[in-house]
Amino acid sequence: MAALLLDIRDGAATITLNRPEVYNAFDDAQSYELQDALKQVERDPSVRVVVLTGAGKAFSSGQDLKASMEAGKRNLSDSLHKRYNPIIRAIRNMPKPVICKLNGVAAGAGCSLALACDMIIASETASMIEIFVNIALVLDSGSSYFLPRTVGYHRAFELATKASKVSAEEALKMGLINKVVPASELDDAVAAEVKYYANAPTKAIALMKKMLTKGMTEDLDAVLEYEAYCQEIAGNSADNREGVQAFLEKRQPVFAGK
């Protein structure tokens, strides 16, 4: 069975982690397959939005500890540099929105993976847990970057050091996720977001994604300069011309993502 499934249709790419028997825990093969899939959808001009989800009951339970034990002692830093960090960078540098379809638990590196996405739509049965401390490890795969910026230092400290399991409803209140729906409505809720982004001005959204990430770390003057730089690029896009023309003609714009 393939460790990962990739489906591309109607402007959207759906990447499904496909190791349901181990709650989509990552072994080496799945890590590298996800890297390859992300590269493929970034290069594909027909893809304007990406959905990341898991097969079965879980989104991802993080690293497959059994596989790690069977592989013997490994350099964890090397593993992060080769396996997980390229995935997180690929999602953040993806010039297209990435939606996490949180169908179940996201634990450890699986939680980091969800947090790296641009939007998280969750089933009410989903949950998130930074489980690292339970085996005396530290946050990795970007969690120490995303978590405090989302919920603040003190809540992030608690979630990290106590491995507190957060329900979908709690995560919504904390601002960790965008929307919670009944499990039976998750497909439709994600499909609605996909339809919007598949028809949105993709180039402008890619620029805003970069701007918002930069805005979390840069000072005001740097951000103002970067906004001016990006606005000039956006203002010379085909979608900008279409948007202005549609406004003048009092019709809905038809964006090509260019």
Side-chain angles (χ1 to χ4, degrees), residues 92-93 203-234:
R92 296 311 312 148
N93 294 329
K203 189 170 185 178
I205 289 170
L207 290 168
M208 284 192 277
K209 181 172 175 174
K210 286 184 177 181
M211 292 163 64
L212 291 170
T213 300
K214 194 177 185 71
M216 291 194 292
T217 58
E218 299 285 352
D219 62 28
L220 177 60
D221 285 338
V223 168
L224 290 172
E225 287 297 321
Y226 194 61
E227 284 179 345
Y229 169 77
C230 290
Q231 194 68 291
E232 182 65 18
I233 295 172

Side-chain angles (χ1 to χ4, degrees), residues 111-171:
C111 186
S112 302
L113 185 65
L115 292 175
C117 296
D118 300 302
M119 177 177 282
I120 303 175
I121 309 298
S123 159
E124 61 187 7
T125 60
S127 60
M128 306 176 83
I129 178 170
E130 297 285 11
I131 205 165
F132 300 96
V133 73
N134 285 354
I135 54 172
L137 288 180
V138 300
L139 300 175
D140 67 23
S141 306
S143 269
S144 64
Y145 178 89
F146 298 114
L147 203 59
R149 285 170 170 78
T150 305
V151 301
Y153 172 83
H154 295 96
R155 181 58 64 87
F157 179 85
E158 179 184 359
L159 294 176
T161 61
K162 298 179 76 172
S164 307
K165 190 173 185 179
V166 180
S167 70
E169 286 293 343
E170 291 171 326

Side-chain angles (χ1 to χ4, degrees), residues 2 5 10 57 108-109 122 126 191 197-198 203 223 233-234 257:
L5 304 175
D10 301 327
K57 297 180 180 180
Y197 284 108
K203 189 170 185 178
V223 168
I233 295 172

Side-chain angles (χ1 to χ4, degrees), residues 9-75:
R9 67 180 76 185
D10 301 327
T14 299
I15 301 173
T16 305
L17 305 177
N18 191 41
R19 303 184 73 222
E21 71 282 2
V22 290
Y23 300 105
N24 301 315
F26 277 92
D27 60 2
D28 285 8
Q30 184 167 264
S31 302
Y32 293 122
E33 285 185 35
L34 181 52
Q35 289 183 31
D36 291 342
L38 290 167
K39 290 175 184 175
Q40 181 179 336
V41 299
E42 179 176 353
R43 291 192 299 262
D44 190 336
S46 74
V47 174
R48 293 170 66 180
V49 57
V50 180
V51 176
L52 188 57
T53 191
K57 297 180 180 180
F59 175 71
S60 173
S61 57
Q63 172 61 31
D64 187 333
L65 295 180
K66 183 179 180 181
S68 295
M69 293 296 290
E70 291 173 350
K73 177 67 176 175
R74 68 165 65 192
N75 184 308

